[in-house]
Amino acid sequence: MPKEVQPTLEEIEISRIRVPRAPQVLGVVEQMVGGDKMRVKCDDGHERICRIPGKLRKRVWINVGDLVLIEPWIVQTNERGDVAFRYTSTQANWLKRKGFVKSIQIE
């Protein structure tokens, strides 16, 4: 009888990874501004003030240097946005290797 192989934690993290869709863009947190807002350097060349929506505010802790998925606002598209997801370091390295992260530097 063949032995069943269990996936590692790293493989599980990568299998659930969220890649950016049409209006979404990747970014790196540069500075915490205060409250639930932060300054994010985005992959499309813009620097946005992004807020953490209520559904993520208490569940996800975001620090300077983290890779995040940003949903730009419909109004003030190049200046404002919402944080949709925070990537772990394993997921960020995988996105970098696969070419999703182009112009920004991940620590």
Side-chain angles (χ1 to χ4, degrees):
M1 211 146 81
K3 192 173 182 182
E4 200 171 307
V5 178
Q6 294 292 328
T8 64
L9 278 166
E10 185 175 319
E11 291 169 343
I12 292 171
E13 268 188 28
I14 290 173
S15 69
R16 293 187 186 169
I17 202 162
R18 286 180 63 178
V19 294
R21 302 272 181 234
Q24 296 175 335
V25 65
L26 293 171
V28 174
V29 178
E30 285 190 331
Q31 177 185 8
M32 302 304 284
V33 179
D36 60 347
K37 293 183 178 66
M38 61 194 72
R39 186 178 313 277
V40 178
K41 176 133 179 78
C42 296
D43 207 21
D44 61 357
H46 297 288
E47 194 170 287
R48 293 181 171 89
I49 301 291
C50 298
R51 70 181 181 96
I52 306 169
K55 65 181 182 179
L56 290 179
R57 193 170 298 139
K58 298 280 193 244
R59 295 186 184 129
V60 176
W61 294 106
I62 300 175
N63 298 315
V64 174
D66 284 347
L67 183 71
V68 290
L69 184 64
I70 302 297
E71 290 180 359
W73 289 1
I74 296 169
V75 181
Q76 293 183 320
T77 303
N78 298 333
E79 292 102 35
R80 301 289 174 121
D82 287 337
V83 175
F85 189 76
R86 180 186 63 88
Y87 293 101
T88 63
S89 60
T90 306
Q91 292 170 334
N93 290 334
W94 185 86
L95 285 168
K96 182 86 169 165
R97 278 197 323 267
K98 295 297 180 183
F100 288 102
V101 180
K102 297 168 189 77
S103 64
I104 53 178
Q105 200 67 22
I106 301 172
E107 282 101 45

